[in-house]
Amino acid sequence: MSTEDPATIEPSGIDSAVEHLRNGRLVAFPTETVYGLGGDATSDLSVTRIFAAKERPRFNPLIIHLPDVAAVRNLVVFDDRAKRLADLFWPGALTLVLPRRPDCRVSLLASAGLDSLAVRIPAHPLAQQLLRAVGRPIAAPSANRSGRVSPTTAAHVRDELADRVSLILDGGPCRVGLESTVLDLTGEMACLLRPGGLAQAAIEAAIGPVMRAQPIADGAVRLGPGMMTSHYAPGLPVRLEATDARPGEAFLAFGAPPAGIVPALQLSVDGDPVEAAQHLFAALRALDRPEFTGIAIMPIPEDGLGAAINDRLRRAAAPR
Ligand code: AMP
Ligand code: MG
């Protein structure tokens, strides 16, 4: 599998993407994490179309994509922690959940009725160009049907959404390959809602300890799609911590495979979690084929991006 090619940027592609977005239609575009399904976040109609195209439950709020901090500050209340994190990690694979400003013009449907909003500044040059050109906040969850593996190439988006999207901008394979880290800053203590493309340790080095999302008193949890037990799932059963391959299984390796086993694919020959993250979703898709009975995946250490990779794999392996 190759890593990111520099995007060939078609100015006409951007122009037509802007026109579609301004007219309430959906445009898929590359970010450095995964491909997003974009719609005008200020339009109830566009936001409704995103939920419908993904078959996503309406109670799962969407991440709003902006080109720069000035645009973010128009929508949410920015505190010192947010400023520090933005200085260090934006543009990049970090989403911040912050209080909506009273004059926030993003559709309440995108917040699923909450008084908070998830915001991110993506680094991908094509995403940056698009956001600047359209001049509106863009809601963009991953461009896959709800519950399935996120797309990391334009071809994956076409396989997932076909005619449910008006246009797909092709920026090559995604560099990070995992969704953004989601950090809730609405409370006194920062709370990690979803591990992702920015390691928790990097955040803690900047703002101090971060708590993991916990079930609240009545047994409910602060739920998002990244927090559902079964998510990111291929069609085939997934078996984790595999040290052997059972008959019919495709073996997905990380580092040196066990003696005598020929892997169907390799996430990273050198056991590098950054490279494994890049290849993860494409590998799950590539192995999700009828000639196999399941996908067996070698153990991956929790270090760095390993935590986010294992989070996704546990959900891929969870009972459906
Ligand atoms: P996705 O758009 O599929 O990448 O997932 C969006 C993620 O952002 C989910 O994990 C949600 O939990 C989280 N999220 C978005 N908006 C909010 C919000 N207002 N409050 C809490 N979490 C949010
Ligand atoms: Mg998603």
Side-chain angles (χ1 to χ4, degrees):
M1 273 172 281
S2 72
T3 53
E4 185 178 84
D5 297 331
T8 26
I9 295 166
E10 299 263 9
S12 60
I14 294 276
D15 288 349
S16 118
V18 167
E19 195 188 320
H20 281 301
L21 289 169
R22 293 221 172 118
N23 288 318
R25 289 191 290 268
L26 306 185
V27 170
F29 63 96
T31 81
E32 72 280 21
T33 60
V34 301
Y35 274 70
L37 177 63
D40 178 352
T42 64
S43 154
D44 285 345
L45 175 63
S46 298
V47 170
T48 300
R49 284 179 171 159
I50 292 176
F51 281 103
K54 281 182 62 82
E55 298 168 38
R56 173 166 168 132
R58 308 290 154 130
F59 57 78
N60 284 327
L62 307 178
I63 297 174
I64 309 306
H65 292 66
L66 289 315
D68 50 42
V69 173
V72 170
R73 282 178 179 273
N74 285 331
L75 305 178
V76 289
V77 182
F78 223 62
D79 66 11
D80 288 345
R81 296 171 301 182
K83 184 174 179 325
R84 198 173 169 78
L85 292 168
D87 286 346
L88 286 169
F89 302 121
W90 276 352
L94 174 66
T95 294
L96 297 179
V97 176
L98 292 162
R100 288 174 69 108
R101 281 172 46 144
D103 59 350
C104 177
R105 55 193 215 286
V106 168
S107 163
L108 271 169
L109 299 175
S111 284
L114 300 169
D115 51 12
S116 58
L117 194 67
V119 287
R120 180 166 98 86
I121 301 179
H124 195 293
L126 209 49
Q128 275 283 332
Q129 280 206 3
L130 178 66
L131 293 169
R132 282 179 201 290
V134 74
R136 294 183 196 176
I138 297 298
S142 51
N144 53 279
R145 308 232 184 154
S146 189
R148 292 177 38 98
V149 177
S150 297
T152 54
T153 68
H156 296 162
V157 178
R158 202 187 41 229
D159 293 346
E160 285 286 326
L161 297 174
D163 58 353
R164 297 183 181 196
V165 56
S166 295
L167 178 73
I168 303 171
L169 290 177
D170 187 354
C174 300
R175 176 171 53 82
V176 177
L178 286 177
E179 301 83 353
S180 60
T181 300
V182 181
L183 187 71
D184 183 351
L185 292 179
T186 59
E188 198 121 307
M189 182 126 186
C191 180
L192 187 74
L193 296 180
R194 175 176 78 184
L198 178 67
Q200 180 174 349
I203 296 172
E204 294 191 319
I207 60 163
V210 161
M211 63 179 184
R212 296 294 294 259
Q214 293 291 332
I216 51 178
D218 62 359
V221 285
R222 292 147 103 178
L223 260 192
M227 296 180 66
M228 290 175 171
T229 320
S230 175
H231 206 76
Y232 312 108
L236 286 177
V238 171
R239 188 165 66 86
L240 304 182
E241 310 284 335
T243 51
D244 60 353
R246 296 177 186 160
E249 274 183 342
F251 193 80
L252 181 56
F254 175 80
I261 292 182
V262 181
L265 281 177
Q266 173 60 268
L267 286 173
S268 167
V269 176
D270 303 327
D272 172 9
V274 173
E275 188 189 7
Q278 265 175 8
H279 295 162
L280 179 67
F281 289 146
L284 291 178
R285 263 174 209 280
L287 298 179
D288 195 10
R289 289 204 310 265
E291 63 258 45
F292 299 121
T293 55
I295 305 173
I297 307 178
M298 278 178 70
I300 296 173
E302 283 282 309
D303 316 330
L305 292 193
I309 294 173
N310 286 324
D311 170 83
R312 303 305 186 269
L313 288 178
R314 280 191 291 271
R315 292 175 210 279
R320 315 270 164 86

